[in-house]
Amino acid sequence: MRILIVSQHFWPEGFHINDVARSLVAQGHTVDVLTAKPNYPEGRIFTGYRAWGCQQEDYHGVTIRRMPLFPRGKDSKVRLALNYLSFIFSGYAFGPWLTRGQKYDVIFVYGVSPILQALPALLLGWLKKSPVVIWVQDLWPESLSATGYVKNRFILKAVEKVVRFIYHHTDLLLVQSRAFIAPVRKLAPRTPIQYHPNSVDESFAKPAMPASHPEVPALDAPFTVMFAGNIGAAQAVEVIVEAAALLKAHSDIHFIVLGDGSRREWMLQQVRQQGLANLHLPGRFPVETMPGFMQKASVLLVTLADREIFAATVPSKVQAYLAAGRPIIASLNGAGADLVAEAGAGLTAPAEDGTLLAKAVMTLYTMSTNERCVMGERGRCYYQAHFTHEKLIGELIQQLEQTVHRTQGHTA
């Protein structure tokens, strides 16, 4: 197949779609990516790129076609809105020109927030008579309300109408969580919907090479609780600060928060103000170092805010944690916590409950090393049975091919 991936984010930004694109090429498919200039999560355009102008790159056989983008900045709702809107504008203005003369069997949208990025894909699907498949990673407009970025009900209703339009004009909707099916179905009663979970690069499931990771404070502490990923409002990282404060008398226990995001500076302030010598925020590291970091930790931590939308979400880091074979604490509600419990891979605590998070940490701390290893191994076995990258890439190819076959009568 000739596949066009439309995604606001792509390499060198660390998103799972990078692995998907490489694997599709490895399976013999031709893959182009229509994307923007990299700026996530720092909020500024990466070195070697500039916000304006178009450019083309090659990435492991994937042809990347980049469009202009207004950088998102930090802690600015206005800049974030302009960032989202600029991708849509660039998609309309430059997408048809950058893909001129190209024919595609299918257009595949990596539907992280904002789902509005699918609008240019719909235009390209119409122009090129290609079916459009969206992999829904986040629920809109619910996520806008839950994260507090938009509270005006009229704006939320308008966004809902746009999302309904997008879903209605899509040939297949893939959802990353089974709990997404009902809310997506509500907006797309006639569009086919299938479950397709996230995976991670196979390196997460392989033993890390000794000394394969940079030096990080407290990584060699007797007991480490590691959080890795975006440090934002959706992650409710206040719960980590609360648990660290409750456990700061236990000198063996250290919290390590890897990554960057809108709430990192607030966490650093709390470390200083509360004297939390047991809470470390060393920053963001290349994605290839993550398997080594995770496998070095005693426990891996995932958190989400106490919102209805997040109860339907399975953070993609859960699959990475399962693959790493370390015990997991899921400080969240709903689908993500249920998955960890079903796998027998760790403990759960209600979202935003620092007291019960601290209790879960102490429970794992008092376990023997062997008990924790057994728990981690159960998680890895569950990952191998349900979430391996090879298995899910095969299923994705089948879903795309079936969509092409089903729609070829009116796309020819």
Side-chain angles (χ1 to χ4, degrees):
M1 288 184 294
R2 290 187 58 86
I3 303 168
L4 174 65
I5 295 175
V6 177
S7 173
Q8 183 164 338
H9 302 290
F10 196 72
W11 174 89
E13 296 170 323
F15 285 79
H16 178 50
I17 191 62
N18 306 342
D19 304 325
V20 171
R22 288 200 313 268
S23 296
L24 288 172
V25 169
Q27 292 286 333
H29 302 282
T30 300
V31 179
D32 288 0
V33 174
L34 183 66
T35 188
K37 306 301 175 63
N39 75 129
Y40 181 90
E42 292 92 343
R44 61 182 183 274
I45 300 297
F46 284 21
T47 302
Y49 299 88
R50 54 191 177 90
W52 311 116
C54 299
Q55 68 184 88
Q56 183 170 311
E57 296 177 88
D58 180 83
Y59 172 72
H60 295 278
V62 177
T63 299
I64 306 174
R65 305 174 192 273
R66 295 195 185 273
M67 306 180 295
L69 185 78
F70 187 90
R72 61 192 287 134
K74 277 201 173 183
D75 303 325
S76 171
K77 294 180 181 179
V78 173
R79 289 185 66 94
L80 185 61
L82 290 173
N83 175 260
Y84 290 169
L85 292 172
S86 68
F87 182 82
I88 298 170
F89 174 81
S90 287
Y92 281 132
F94 300 101
W97 180 73
L98 287 171
T99 59
R100 65 194 184 281
Q102 302 296 320
K103 297 291 186 181
Y104 299 105
D105 296 301
V106 64
I107 297 174
F108 180 56
V109 181
Y110 182 56
V112 293
S113 284
I115 195 64
L116 307 184
Q117 69 180 287
L119 288 168
L122 296 182
L123 172 64
L124 291 170
W126 178 72
L127 290 173
K128 296 179 179 297
K129 297 180 171 59
S130 303
V132 177
V133 176
I134 301 177
W135 191 10
V136 180
Q137 297 288 323
D138 199 3
L139 294 176
W140 270 53
E142 296 92 334
S143 62
L144 280 175
S145 175
T147 55
Y149 281 113
V150 176
K151 297 180 181 178
N152 186 295
R153 64 188 181 91
F154 296 105
I155 295 177
L156 291 172
K157 197 68 179 177
V159 171
E160 180 182 305
K161 289 182 178 179
V162 176
V163 175
R164 191 185 297 272
F165 172 85
I166 291 170
Y167 288 171
H168 177 72
H169 289 85
T170 301
D171 296 280
L172 174 65
L173 292 165
L174 301 176
V175 293
Q176 60 100 318
S177 167
R178 294 187 190 279
F180 276 20
I181 294 176
V184 170
R185 173 69 66 202
K186 184 179 177 181
L187 298 180
R190 292 183 294 276
T191 304
I193 301 171
Q194 295 180 21
Y195 169 61
H196 185 77
N198 285 300
S199 185
V200 291
D201 186 88
E202 292 302 307
S203 62
F204 284 86
K206 296 177 181 177
M209 296 296 291
S212 63
H213 52 77
E215 289 297 319
V216 167
L219 192 60
D220 293 318
F223 190 86
T224 53
V225 181
M226 179 177 291
F227 171 101
N230 186 50
I231 307 171
Q235 287 71 39
V237 292
E238 296 83 359
V239 75
I240 303 176
V241 173
E242 184 180 350
L246 290 170
L247 297 175
K248 67 179 181 179
H250 296 270
S251 59
D252 283 355
I253 301 175
H254 287 258
F255 291 79
I256 301 173
V257 178
L258 301 178
D260 198 3
S262 61
R263 297 294 284 165
R264 181 171 181 265
E265 186 56 39
W266 176 85
M267 293 188 76
L268 289 168
Q269 290 174 0
Q270 294 302 306
V271 168
R272 294 190 292 268
Q273 292 174 10
Q274 299 189 46
L276 300 178
N278 62 336
L279 176 55
H280 311 271
L281 292 100
R284 181 171 174 262
F285 294 87
V287 66
E288 58 267 21
T289 64
M290 289 300 105
F293 282 133
M294 291 179 184
Q295 293 174 29
K296 183 75 172 176
S298 305
V299 174
L300 297 170
L301 172 64
V302 54
T303 65
L304 277 179
D306 184 12
R307 302 288 188 275
E308 184 177 355
I309 176 183
F310 296 138
T313 300
V314 177
S316 58
K317 73 179 67 177
V318 171
Q319 282 90 336
Y321 287 1
L322 290 169
R326 309 305 299 153
I328 300 169
I329 297 179
S331 176
L332 43 82
N333 301 330
D338 292 345
L339 194 158
V340 171
E342 182 180 326
L347 303 179
T348 65
E352 298 191 50
D353 192 325
T355 300
L356 290 183
L357 172 56
K359 183 178 179 181
V361 171
M362 286 303 301
T363 299
L364 287 168
Y365 173 67
T366 56
M367 284 183 179
S368 68
T369 301
N370 183 64
E371 287 175 308
R372 291 196 297 268
C373 285
V374 168
M375 189 175 282
E377 189 56 34
R378 284 200 296 262
R380 181 171 284 167
C381 288
Y382 192 91
Y383 167 84
Q384 294 290 348
H386 298 277
F387 298 123
T388 62
H389 184 64
E390 182 180 3
K391 173 181 182 293
L392 292 177
I393 282 293
E395 292 178 2
L396 175 62
I397 292 170
Q398 185 178 44
Q399 289 161 329
L400 295 179
E401 288 177 339
Q402 288 174 348
T403 301
V404 172
H405 179 74
R406 175 170 54 83
T407 61
Q408 62 184 356
H410 63 267
T411 59

